[in-house]
Amino acid sequence: MSKTKITVNNNGSLRIEGDFEIVDKDGNVYGLGGRTLVSVCRCGLSKNKPFCDGSHKGHFEHDAQAFDLPEKKA
């Protein structure tokens, strides 16, 4: 199995690659048709949620820069 990688794209989606599954709030698995790469909507404009359909173009701004979260509280 390959490691799962999630990439936060500038002004767009979350790109998920590798071995993963996506489930709804009830634990039902989305059928991904054998895909090992999908893009998930972050802007809320997609008509194919939770998947990205490109509707964010020109309507969503986020400069994706990595940072460290504070230490987890005990």
Side-chain angles (χ1 to χ4, degrees), residues 7 11-14 16 19 23-24 27-28 34 36 41-43 46-47 55 58-59 64 66 68:
T7 303
N11 306 322
S13 64
L14 296 174
I16 305 171
D19 183 30
V23 299
D24 68 12
N28 299 308
T36 58
C41 178
R42 286 198 301 147
C43 73
S46 176
K47 293 186 180 21
S55 294
H59 302 285
D68 294 332

Side-chain angles (χ1 to χ4, degrees), residues 10-66:
N10 280 342
N11 306 322
S13 64
L14 296 174
R15 179 182 166 124
I16 305 171
E17 307 174 63
D19 183 30
F20 61 89
E21 68 179 8
I22 299 176
V23 299
D24 68 12
K25 64 179 180 54
D26 298 318
N28 299 308
V29 178
Y30 285 88
L32 301 178
R35 290 171 179 81
T36 58
L37 186 154
V38 297
S39 292
V40 176
C41 178
R42 286 198 301 147
C43 73
L45 299 173
S46 176
K47 293 186 180 21
N48 195 31
K49 287 188 229 45
F51 304 101
C52 178
D53 68 2
S55 294
H56 62 271
K57 291 186 173 134
H59 302 285
F60 182 72
E61 292 185 26
H62 176 257
D63 186 24
Q65 295 291 319

